[in-house]
PDB file of all heavy atoms in Angstrom:
ATOM      1  N   LEU A   1     138.847 103.635 130.482  1.00  0.00           N
ATOM      2  CA  LEU A   1     138.030 104.351 131.454  1.00  0.00           C
ATOM      3  C   LEU A   1     136.803 103.537 131.851  1.00  0.00           C
ATOM      4  O   LEU A   1     136.428 103.499 133.028  1.00  0.00           O
ATOM      5  CB  LEU A   1     137.605 105.711 130.887  1.00  0.00           C
ATOM      6  CG  LEU A   1     138.717 106.752 130.768  1.00  0.00           C
ATOM      7  CD1 LEU A   1     138.249 107.936 129.927  1.00  0.00           C
ATOM      8  CD2 LEU A   1     139.162 107.229 132.149  1.00  0.00           C
ATOM      9  N   VAL A   2     136.194 102.874 130.879  1.00  0.00           N
ATOM     10  CA  VAL A   2     135.037 102.034 131.173  1.00  0.00           C
ATOM     11  C   VAL A   2     135.442 100.896 132.111  1.00  0.00           C
ATOM     12  O   VAL A   2     134.767 100.618 133.119  1.00  0.00           O
ATOM     13  CB  VAL A   2     134.426 101.471 129.874  1.00  0.00           C
ATOM     14  CG1 VAL A   2     133.393 100.386 130.188  1.00  0.00           C
ATOM     15  CG2 VAL A   2     133.783 102.595 129.052  1.00  0.00           C
ATOM     16  N   ALA A   3     136.557 100.242 131.804  1.00  0.00           N
ATOM     17  CA  ALA A   3     137.012  99.125 132.632  1.00  0.00           C
ATOM     18  C   ALA A   3     137.332  99.581 134.052  1.00  0.00           C
ATOM     19  O   ALA A   3     136.981  98.898 135.030  1.00  0.00           O
ATOM     20  CB  ALA A   3     138.233  98.467 132.000  1.00  0.00           C
ATOM     21  N   ALA A   4     137.986 100.741 134.168  1.00  0.00           N
ATOM     22  CA  ALA A   4     138.354 101.238 135.501  1.00  0.00           C
ATOM     23  C   ALA A   4     137.121 101.604 136.309  1.00  0.00           C
ATOM     24  O   ALA A   4     137.055 101.341 137.518  1.00  0.00           O
ATOM     25  CB  ALA A   4     139.277 102.451 135.358  1.00  0.00           C
ATOM     26  N   ALA A   5     136.130 102.216 135.643  1.00  0.00           N
ATOM     27  CA  ALA A   5     134.906 102.598 136.353  1.00  0.00           C
ATOM     28  C   ALA A   5     134.144 101.364 136.820  1.00  0.00           C
ATOM     29  O   ALA A   5     133.667 101.301 137.968  1.00  0.00           O
ATOM     30  CB  ALA A   5     134.025 103.457 135.448  1.00  0.00           C
ATOM     31  N   LYS A   6     134.047 100.372 135.963  1.00  0.00           N
ATOM     32  CA  LYS A   6     133.332  99.148 136.341  1.00  0.00           C
ATOM     33  C   LYS A   6     134.067  98.411 137.454  1.00  0.00           C
ATOM     34  O   LYS A   6     133.435  97.817 138.343  1.00  0.00           O
ATOM     35  CB  LYS A   6     133.157  98.255 135.118  1.00  0.00           C
ATOM     36  CG  LYS A   6     132.132  98.789 134.121  1.00  0.00           C
ATOM     37  CD  LYS A   6     131.941  97.840 132.953  1.00  0.00           C
ATOM     38  CE  LYS A   6     130.843  98.341 132.023  1.00  0.00           C
ATOM     39  NZ  LYS A   6     130.636  97.433 130.857  1.00  0.00           N
ATOM     40  N   ALA A   7     135.397  98.465 137.425  1.00  0.00           N
ATOM     41  CA  ALA A   7     136.174  97.798 138.468  1.00  0.00           C
ATOM     42  C   ALA A   7     135.923  98.415 139.839  1.00  0.00           C
ATOM     43  O   ALA A   7     136.073  97.757 140.865  1.00  0.00           O
ATOM     44  CB  ALA A   7     137.663  97.861 138.132  1.00  0.00           C
ATOM     45  N   ARG A   8     135.511  99.684 139.828  1.00  0.00           N
ATOM     46  CA  ARG A   8     135.210 100.361 141.092  1.00  0.00           C
ATOM     47  C   ARG A   8     133.710 100.373 141.384  1.00  0.00           C
ATOM     48  O   ARG A   8     133.228 101.119 142.229  1.00  0.00           O
ATOM     49  CB  ARG A   8     135.789 101.777 141.085  1.00  0.00           C
ATOM     50  CG  ARG A   8     137.329 101.729 141.080  1.00  0.00           C
ATOM     51  CD  ARG A   8     137.962 103.081 141.301  1.00  0.00           C
ATOM     52  NE  ARG A   8     137.541 103.715 142.537  1.00  0.00           N
ATOM     53  CZ  ARG A   8     137.985 103.370 143.756  1.00  0.00           C
ATOM     54  NH1 ARG A   8     138.842 102.368 143.895  1.00  0.00           N
ATOM     55  NH2 ARG A   8     137.567 104.022 144.823  1.00  0.00           N
ATOM     56  N   GLY A   9     132.972  99.544 140.643  1.00  0.00           N
ATOM     57  CA  GLY A   9     131.570  99.332 140.960  1.00  0.00           C
ATOM     58  C   GLY A   9     130.591 100.301 140.348  1.00  0.00           C
ATOM     59  O   GLY A   9     129.408 100.320 140.713  1.00  0.00           O
ATOM     60  N   HIS A  10     131.025 101.102 139.389  1.00  0.00           N
ATOM     61  CA  HIS A  10     130.153 102.116 138.802  1.00  0.00           C
ATOM     62  C   HIS A  10     129.469 101.619 137.529  1.00  0.00           C
ATOM     63  O   HIS A  10     129.976 100.733 136.834  1.00  0.00           O
ATOM     64  CB  HIS A  10     130.946 103.392 138.488  1.00  0.00           C
ATOM     65  CG  HIS A  10     131.678 103.958 139.655  1.00  0.00           C
ATOM     66  ND1 HIS A  10     131.066 104.208 140.868  1.00  0.00           N
ATOM     67  CD2 HIS A  10     132.985 104.309 139.812  1.00  0.00           C
ATOM     68  CE1 HIS A  10     131.956 104.703 141.717  1.00  0.00           C
ATOM     69  NE2 HIS A  10     133.124 104.766 141.098  1.00  0.00           N
ATOM     70  N   HIS A  11     128.336 102.220 137.219  1.00  0.00           N
ATOM     71  CA  HIS A  11     127.648 101.993 135.946  1.00  0.00           C
ATOM     72  C   HIS A  11     128.148 103.031 134.943  1.00  0.00           C
ATOM     73  O   HIS A  11     128.262 104.215 135.280  1.00  0.00           O
ATOM     74  CB  HIS A  11     126.136 102.122 136.115  1.00  0.00           C
ATOM     75  CG  HIS A  11     125.390 102.086 134.819  1.00  0.00           C
ATOM     76  ND1 HIS A  11     125.086 100.905 134.164  1.00  0.00           N
ATOM     77  CD2 HIS A  11     124.915 103.099 134.038  1.00  0.00           C
ATOM     78  CE1 HIS A  11     124.444 101.189 133.047  1.00  0.00           C
ATOM     79  NE2 HIS A  11     124.322 102.511 132.941  1.00  0.00           N
ATOM     80  N   VAL A  12     128.442 102.602 133.720  1.00  0.00           N
ATOM     81  CA  VAL A  12     128.972 103.522 132.702  1.00  0.00           C
ATOM     82  C   VAL A  12     128.184 103.381 131.404  1.00  0.00           C
ATOM     83  O   VAL A  12     128.014 102.265 130.892  1.00  0.00           O
ATOM     84  CB  VAL A  12     130.460 103.249 132.395  1.00  0.00           C
ATOM     85  CG1 VAL A  12     131.037 104.366 131.521  1.00  0.00           C
ATOM     86  CG2 VAL A  12     131.268 103.099 133.664  1.00  0.00           C
ATOM     87  N   ASP A  13     127.723 104.509 130.873  1.00  0.00           N
ATOM     88  CA  ASP A  13     127.133 104.556 129.542  1.00  0.00           C
ATOM     89  C   ASP A  13     128.068 105.311 128.608  1.00  0.00           C
ATOM     90  O   ASP A  13     128.740 106.272 129.023  1.00  0.00           O
ATOM     91  CB  ASP A  13     125.778 105.280 129.568  1.00  0.00           C
ATOM     92  CG  ASP A  13     124.668 104.431 130.175  1.00  0.00           C
ATOM     93  OD1 ASP A  13     124.809 103.195 130.195  1.00  0.00           O
ATOM     94  OD2 ASP A  13     123.683 105.018 130.658  1.00  0.00           O
ATOM     95  N   LEU A  14     128.096 104.883 127.356  1.00  0.00           N
ATOM     96  CA  LEU A  14     128.826 105.609 126.320  1.00  0.00           C
ATOM     97  C   LEU A  14     127.822 106.412 125.512  1.00  0.00           C
ATOM     98  O   LEU A  14     126.887 105.845 124.939  1.00  0.00           O
ATOM     99  CB  LEU A  14     129.596 104.642 125.427  1.00  0.00           C
ATOM    100  CG  LEU A  14     130.681 103.809 126.124  1.00  0.00           C
ATOM    101  CD1 LEU A  14     131.357 102.884 125.122  1.00  0.00           C
ATOM    102  CD2 LEU A  14     131.702 104.714 126.795  1.00  0.00           C
ATOM    103  N   ILE A  15     128.003 107.716 125.486  1.00  0.00           N
ATOM    104  CA  ILE A  15     127.077 108.609 124.802  1.00  0.00           C
ATOM    105  C   ILE A  15     127.749 109.161 123.547  1.00  0.00           C
ATOM    106  O   ILE A  15     128.773 109.851 123.637  1.00  0.00           O
ATOM    107  CB  ILE A  15     126.660 109.785 125.725  1.00  0.00           C
ATOM    108  CG1 ILE A  15     126.058 109.259 127.028  1.00  0.00           C
ATOM    109  CG2 ILE A  15     125.691 110.707 124.997  1.00  0.00           C
ATOM    110  CD1 ILE A  15     124.821 108.432 126.862  1.00  0.00           C
ATOM    111  N   ASN A  16     127.199 108.829 122.395  1.00  0.00           N
ATOM    112  CA  ASN A  16     127.735 109.353 121.142  1.00  0.00           C
ATOM    113  C   ASN A  16     127.364 110.834 121.031  1.00  0.00           C
ATOM    114  O   ASN A  16     126.191 111.191 120.919  1.00  0.00           O
ATOM    115  CB  ASN A  16     127.177 108.580 119.948  1.00  0.00           C
ATOM    116  CG  ASN A  16     127.879 108.946 118.650  1.00  0.00           C
ATOM    117  OD1 ASN A  16     128.205 110.108 118.414  1.00  0.00           O
ATOM    118  ND2 ASN A  16     128.116 107.951 117.813  1.00  0.00           N
ATOM    119  N   THR A  17     128.381 111.680 121.056  1.00  0.00           N
ATOM    120  CA  THR A  17     128.153 113.136 121.041  1.00  0.00           C
ATOM    121  C   THR A  17     127.352 113.567 119.832  1.00  0.00           C
ATOM    122  O   THR A  17     126.508 114.468 119.913  1.00  0.00           O
ATOM    123  CB  THR A  17     129.506 113.872 121.054  1.00  0.00           C
ATOM    124  OG1 THR A  17     130.410 113.205 121.941  1.00  0.00           O
ATOM    125  CG2 THR A  17     129.342 115.303 121.508  1.00  0.00           C
ATOM    126  N   MET A  18     127.571 112.925 118.704  1.00  0.00           N
ATOM    127  CA  MET A  18     126.861 113.292 117.470  1.00  0.00           C
ATOM    128  C   MET A  18     125.367 113.019 117.573  1.00  0.00           C
ATOM    129  O   MET A  18     124.575 113.663 116.881  1.00  0.00           O
ATOM    130  CB  MET A  18     127.450 112.525 116.277  1.00  0.00           C
ATOM    131  CG  MET A  18     128.872 112.891 115.930  1.00  0.00           C
ATOM    132  SD  MET A  18     129.508 111.893 114.545  1.00  0.00           S
ATOM    133  CE  MET A  18     128.445 112.446 113.218  1.00  0.00           C
ATOM    134  N   ASP A  19     124.997 112.066 118.416  1.00  0.00           N
ATOM    135  CA  ASP A  19     123.582 111.689 118.523  1.00  0.00           C
ATOM    136  C   ASP A  19     122.836 112.490 119.589  1.00  0.00           C
ATOM    137  O   ASP A  19     121.661 112.214 119.858  1.00  0.00           O
ATOM    138  CB  ASP A  19     123.464 110.198 118.848  1.00  0.00           C
ATOM    139  CG  ASP A  19     123.917 109.316 117.702  1.00  0.00           C
ATOM    140  OD1 ASP A  19     123.946 109.810 116.559  1.00  0.00           O
ATOM    141  OD2 ASP A  19     124.261 108.139 117.946  1.00  0.00           O
ATOM    142  N   CYS A  20     123.504 113.466 120.192  1.00  0.00           N
ATOM    143  CA  CYS A  20     122.859 114.296 121.220  1.00  0.00           C
ATOM    144  C   CYS A  20     122.196 115.497 120.565  1.00  0.00           C
ATOM    145  O   CYS A  20     122.834 116.235 119.791  1.00  0.00           O
ATOM    146  CB  CYS A  20     123.879 114.775 122.247  1.00  0.00           C
ATOM    147  SG  CYS A  20     124.524 113.483 123.318  1.00  0.00           S
ATOM    148  N   SER A  21     120.923 115.703 120.867  1.00  0.00           N
ATOM    149  CA  SER A  21     120.223 116.906 120.426  1.00  0.00           C
ATOM    150  C   SER A  21     119.877 117.739 121.649  1.00  0.00           C
ATOM    151  O   SER A  21     119.523 117.201 122.704  1.00  0.00           O
ATOM    152  CB  SER A  21     118.962 116.559 119.632  1.00  0.00           C
ATOM    153  OG  SER A  21     118.102 115.728 120.384  1.00  0.00           O
ATOM    154  N   LEU A  22     120.002 119.050 121.524  1.00  0.00           N
ATOM    155  CA  LEU A  22     119.795 119.970 122.641  1.00  0.00           C
ATOM    156  C   LEU A  22     118.467 120.687 122.461  1.00  0.00           C
ATOM    157  O   LEU A  22     118.154 121.170 121.365  1.00  0.00           O
ATOM    158  CB  LEU A  22     120.935 120.992 122.702  1.00  0.00           C
ATOM    159  CG  LEU A  22     122.352 120.412 122.669  1.00  0.00           C
ATOM    160  CD1 LEU A  22     123.385 121.529 122.747  1.00  0.00           C
ATOM    161  CD2 LEU A  22     122.564 119.413 123.796  1.00  0.00           C
ATOM    162  N   HIS A  23     117.703 120.786 123.539  1.00  0.00           N
ATOM    163  CA  HIS A  23     116.376 121.385 123.457  1.00  0.00           C
ATOM    164  C   HIS A  23     116.217 122.471 124.515  1.00  0.00           C
ATOM    165  O   HIS A  23     116.625 122.298 125.668  1.00  0.00           O
ATOM    166  CB  HIS A  23     115.302 120.309 123.642  1.00  0.00           C
ATOM    167  CG  HIS A  23     115.442 119.169 122.674  1.00  0.00           C
ATOM    168  ND1 HIS A  23     114.987 119.236 121.382  1.00  0.00           N
ATOM    169  CD2 HIS A  23     116.023 117.950 122.810  1.00  0.00           C
ATOM    170  CE1 HIS A  23     115.266 118.094 120.758  1.00  0.00           C
ATOM    171  NE2 HIS A  23     115.899 117.305 121.607  1.00  0.00           N
ATOM    172  N   VAL A  24     115.636 123.579 124.078  1.00  0.00           N
ATOM    173  CA  VAL A  24     115.339 124.701 124.966  1.00  0.00           C
ATOM    174  C   VAL A  24     113.859 125.022 124.814  1.00  0.00           C
ATOM    175  O   VAL A  24     113.385 125.329 123.709  1.00  0.00           O
ATOM    176  CB  VAL A  24     116.185 125.945 124.616  1.00  0.00           C
ATOM    177  CG1 VAL A  24     115.861 127.084 125.575  1.00  0.00           C
ATOM    178  CG2 VAL A  24     117.669 125.615 124.633  1.00  0.00           C
ATOM    179  N   GLU A  25     113.134 124.922 125.914  1.00  0.00           N
ATOM    180  CA  GLU A  25     111.697 125.222 125.891  1.00  0.00           C
ATOM    181  C   GLU A  25     111.373 126.115 127.092  1.00  0.00           C
ATOM    182  O   GLU A  25     111.349 125.646 128.231  1.00  0.00           O
ATOM    183  CB  GLU A  25     110.874 123.937 125.954  1.00  0.00           C
ATOM    184  CG  GLU A  25     109.373 124.174 125.814  1.00  0.00           C
ATOM    185  CD  GLU A  25     108.577 122.888 125.764  1.00  0.00           C
ATOM    186  OE1 GLU A  25     109.195 121.801 125.759  1.00  0.00           O
ATOM    187  OE2 GLU A  25     107.339 122.967 125.730  1.00  0.00           O
ATOM    188  N   GLY A  26     111.198 127.389 126.788  1.00  0.00           N
ATOM    189  CA  GLY A  26     110.986 128.343 127.873  1.00  0.00           C
ATOM    190  C   GLY A  26     112.221 128.395 128.758  1.00  0.00           C
ATOM    191  O   GLY A  26     113.317 128.698 128.296  1.00  0.00           O
ATOM    192  N   SER A  27     112.046 128.066 130.029  1.00  0.00           N
ATOM    193  CA  SER A  27     113.169 128.069 130.961  1.00  0.00           C
ATOM    194  C   SER A  27     113.717 126.660 131.208  1.00  0.00           C
ATOM    195  O   SER A  27     114.493 126.452 132.145  1.00  0.00           O
ATOM    196  CB  SER A  27     112.735 128.681 132.298  1.00  0.00           C
ATOM    197  OG  SER A  27     111.660 127.930 132.862  1.00  0.00           O
ATOM    198  N   THR A  28     113.326 125.714 130.355  1.00  0.00           N
ATOM    199  CA  THR A  28     113.721 124.322 130.554  1.00  0.00           C
ATOM    200  C   THR A  28     114.729 123.886 129.485  1.00  0.00           C
ATOM    201  O   THR A  28     114.503 124.092 128.290  1.00  0.00           O
ATOM    202  CB  THR A  28     112.498 123.395 130.500  1.00  0.00           C
ATOM    203  OG1 THR A  28     111.564 123.788 131.499  1.00  0.00           O
ATOM    204  CG2 THR A  28     112.902 121.939 130.722  1.00  0.00           C
ATOM    205  N   LEU A  29     115.812 123.286 129.939  1.00  0.00           N
ATOM    206  CA  LEU A  29     116.814 122.724 129.049  1.00  0.00           C
ATOM    207  C   LEU A  29     116.760 121.207 129.148  1.00  0.00           C
ATOM    208  O   LEU A  29     116.594 120.649 130.236  1.00  0.00           O
ATOM    209  CB  LEU A  29     118.224 123.187 129.442  1.00  0.00           C
ATOM    210  CG  LEU A  29     118.517 124.683 129.389  1.00  0.00           C
ATOM    211  CD1 LEU A  29     119.897 124.964 129.960  1.00  0.00           C
ATOM    212  CD2 LEU A  29     118.421 125.197 127.962  1.00  0.00           C
ATOM    213  N   SER A  30     116.916 120.537 128.023  1.00  0.00           N
ATOM    214  CA  SER A  30     116.964 119.073 128.035  1.00  0.00           C
ATOM    215  C   SER A  30     117.871 118.593 126.918  1.00  0.00           C
ATOM    216  O   SER A  30     118.205 119.333 125.989  1.00  0.00           O
ATOM    217  CB  SER A  30     115.564 118.470 127.888  1.00  0.00           C
ATOM    218  OG  SER A  30     114.990 118.830 126.642  1.00  0.00           O
ATOM    219  N   ILE A  31     118.262 117.334 127.030  1.00  0.00           N
ATOM    220  CA  ILE A  31     119.122 116.695 126.027  1.00  0.00           C
ATOM    221  C   ILE A  31     118.507 115.354 125.667  1.00  0.00           C
ATOM    222  O   ILE A  31     118.105 114.592 126.547  1.00  0.00           O
ATOM    223  CB  ILE A  31     120.549 116.482 126.563  1.00  0.00           C
ATOM    224  CG1 ILE A  31     121.181 117.813 126.998  1.00  0.00           C
ATOM    225  CG2 ILE A  31     121.432 115.810 125.513  1.00  0.00           C
ATOM    226  CD1 ILE A  31     122.534 117.655 127.673  1.00  0.00           C
ATOM    227  N   GLU A  32     118.448 115.085 124.373  1.00  0.00           N
ATOM    228  CA  GLU A  32     118.008 113.773 123.914  1.00  0.00           C
ATOM    229  C   GLU A  32     119.170 113.060 123.240  1.00  0.00           C
ATOM    230  O   GLU A  32     120.020 113.686 122.593  1.00  0.00           O
ATOM    231  CB  GLU A  32     116.827 113.896 122.946  1.00  0.00           C
ATOM    232  CG  GLU A  32     115.537 114.324 123.624  1.00  0.00           C
ATOM    233  CD  GLU A  32     114.337 114.252 122.695  1.00  0.00           C
ATOM    234  OE1 GLU A  32     114.528 113.897 121.512  1.00  0.00           O
ATOM    235  OE2 GLU A  32     113.221 114.548 123.159  1.00  0.00           O
ATOM    236  N   HIS A  33     119.195 111.752 123.414  1.00  0.00           N
ATOM    237  CA  HIS A  33     120.237 110.921 122.799  1.00  0.00           C
ATOM    238  C   HIS A  33     119.557 109.738 122.137  1.00  0.00           C
ATOM    239  O   HIS A  33     118.869 108.961 122.800  1.00  0.00           O
ATOM    240  CB  HIS A  33     121.240 110.443 123.858  1.00  0.00           C
ATOM    241  CG  HIS A  33     122.313 109.543 123.303  1.00  0.00           C
ATOM    242  ND1 HIS A  33     122.311 108.182 123.498  1.00  0.00           N
ATOM    243  CD2 HIS A  33     123.401 109.824 122.539  1.00  0.00           C
ATOM    244  CE1 HIS A  33     123.359 107.663 122.898  1.00  0.00           C
ATOM    245  NE2 HIS A  33     124.038 108.629 122.307  1.00  0.00           N
ATOM    246  N   GLY A  34     119.699 109.650 120.835  1.00  0.00           N
ATOM    247  CA  GLY A  34     119.044 108.563 120.114  1.00  0.00           C
ATOM    248  C   GLY A  34     117.535 108.618 120.207  1.00  0.00           C
ATOM    249  O   GLY A  34     116.870 107.580 120.213  1.00  0.00           O
ATOM    250  N   GLY A  35     116.972 109.826 120.328  1.00  0.00           N
ATOM    251  CA  GLY A  35     115.526 109.988 120.358  1.00  0.00           C
ATOM    252  C   GLY A  35     114.893 109.876 121.727  1.00  0.00           C
ATOM    253  O   GLY A  35     113.669 109.999 121.852  1.00  0.00           O
ATOM    254  N   ALA A  36     115.693 109.644 122.769  1.00  0.00           N
ATOM    255  CA  ALA A  36     115.150 109.529 124.126  1.00  0.00           C
ATOM    256  C   ALA A  36     115.830 110.544 125.044  1.00  0.00           C
ATOM    257  O   ALA A  36     116.976 110.942 124.811  1.00  0.00           O
ATOM    258  CB  ALA A  36     115.360 108.114 124.671  1.00  0.00           C
ATOM    259  N   ARG A  37     115.108 110.959 126.082  1.00  0.00           N
ATOM    260  CA  ARG A  37     115.662 111.902 127.042  1.00  0.00           C
ATOM    261  C   ARG A  37     116.898 111.303 127.716  1.00  0.00           C
ATOM    262  O   ARG A  37     116.867 110.152 128.160  1.00  0.00           O
ATOM    263  CB  ARG A  37     114.608 112.257 128.097  1.00  0.00           C
ATOM    264  CG  ARG A  37     115.067 113.224 129.187  1.00  0.00           C
ATOM    265  CD  ARG A  37     115.221 114.635 128.656  1.00  0.00           C
ATOM    266  NE  ARG A  37     113.961 115.226 128.274  1.00  0.00           N
ATOM    267  CZ  ARG A  37     113.217 115.994 129.072  1.00  0.00           C
ATOM    268  NH1 ARG A  37     113.601 116.235 130.304  1.00  0.00           N
ATOM    269  NH2 ARG A  37     112.085 116.511 128.616  1.00  0.00           N
ATOM    270  N   LEU A  38     117.969 112.080 127.767  1.00  0.00           N
ATOM    271  CA  LEU A  38     119.198 111.607 128.396  1.00  0.00           C
ATOM    272  C   LEU A  38     118.968 111.425 129.892  1.00  0.00           C
ATOM    273  O   LEU A  38     118.443 112.316 130.559  1.00  0.00           O
ATOM    274  CB  LEU A  38     120.330 112.611 128.159  1.00  0.00           C
ATOM    275  CG  LEU A  38     121.755 112.107 128.406  1.00  0.00           C
ATOM    276  CD1 LEU A  38     122.155 111.097 127.324  1.00  0.00           C
ATOM    277  CD2 LEU A  38     122.734 113.287 128.394  1.00  0.00           C
ATOM    278  N   PRO A  39     119.325 110.263 130.458  1.00  0.00           N
ATOM    279  CA  PRO A  39     119.136 110.057 131.901  1.00  0.00           C
ATOM    280  C   PRO A  39     119.968 111.039 132.710  1.00  0.00           C
ATOM    281  O   PRO A  39     120.912 111.643 132.211  1.00  0.00           O
ATOM    282  CB  PRO A  39     119.623 108.616 132.127  1.00  0.00           C
ATOM    283  CG  PRO A  39     119.667 107.987 130.780  1.00  0.00           C
ATOM    284  CD  PRO A  39     119.919 109.085 129.808  1.00  0.00           C
ATOM    285  N   ARG A  40     119.631 111.154 133.977  1.00  0.00           N
ATOM    286  CA  ARG A  40     120.406 111.983 134.886  1.00  0.00           C
ATOM    287  C   ARG A  40     121.621 111.178 135.377  1.00  0.00           C
ATOM    288  O   ARG A  40     121.466 110.099 135.938  1.00  0.00           O
ATOM    289  CB  ARG A  40     119.540 112.401 136.089  1.00  0.00           C
ATOM    290  CG  ARG A  40     120.279 113.168 137.166  1.00  0.00           C
ATOM    291  CD  ARG A  40     120.452 114.611 136.795  1.00  0.00           C
ATOM    292  NE  ARG A  40     121.214 115.346 137.786  1.00  0.00           N
ATOM    293  CZ  ARG A  40     121.205 116.663 137.899  1.00  0.00           C
ATOM    294  NH1 ARG A  40     120.452 117.383 137.090  1.00  0.00           N
ATOM    295  NH2 ARG A  40     121.935 117.274 138.800  1.00  0.00           N
ATOM    296  N   TYR A  41     122.815 111.699 135.150  1.00  0.00           N
ATOM    297  CA  TYR A  41     124.042 111.018 135.566  1.00  0.00           C
ATOM    298  C   TYR A  41     124.660 111.741 136.757  1.00  0.00           C
ATOM    299  O   TYR A  41     124.469 112.946 136.955  1.00  0.00           O
ATOM    300  CB  TYR A  41     125.045 110.959 134.411  1.00  0.00           C
ATOM    301  CG  TYR A  41     124.603 110.067 133.279  1.00  0.00           C
ATOM    302  CD1 TYR A  41     124.043 110.604 132.118  1.00  0.00           C
ATOM    303  CD2 TYR A  41     124.742 108.685 133.380  1.00  0.00           C
ATOM    304  CE1 TYR A  41     123.631 109.782 131.081  1.00  0.00           C
ATOM    305  CE2 TYR A  41     124.332 107.856 132.343  1.00  0.00           C
ATOM    306  CZ  TYR A  41     123.780 108.405 131.206  1.00  0.00           C
ATOM    307  OH  TYR A  41     123.365 107.590 130.181  1.00  0.00           O
ATOM    308  N   ASP A  42     125.441 110.979 137.522  1.00  0.00           N
ATOM    309  CA  ASP A  42     126.160 111.581 138.645  1.00  0.00           C
ATOM    310  C   ASP A  42     127.351 112.399 138.158  1.00  0.00           C
ATOM    311  O   ASP A  42     127.751 113.368 138.807  1.00  0.00           O
ATOM    312  CB  ASP A  42     126.655 110.495 139.610  1.00  0.00           C
ATOM    313  CG  ASP A  42     125.505 109.794 140.310  1.00  0.00           C
ATOM    314  OD1 ASP A  42     124.595 110.493 140.791  1.00  0.00           O
ATOM    315  OD2 ASP A  42     125.512 108.545 140.368  1.00  0.00           O
TER     316      ASP A  42
END
């Protein structure tokens, strides 16, 4: 999948599901991966 996406010109990150932490603060939801805010993906 990574090779096919790159062949079509896309950027691909691999996100380890175990390293994702979920945060709820008031009406705001966020996800951290490896201690940093997960970027916005298409």
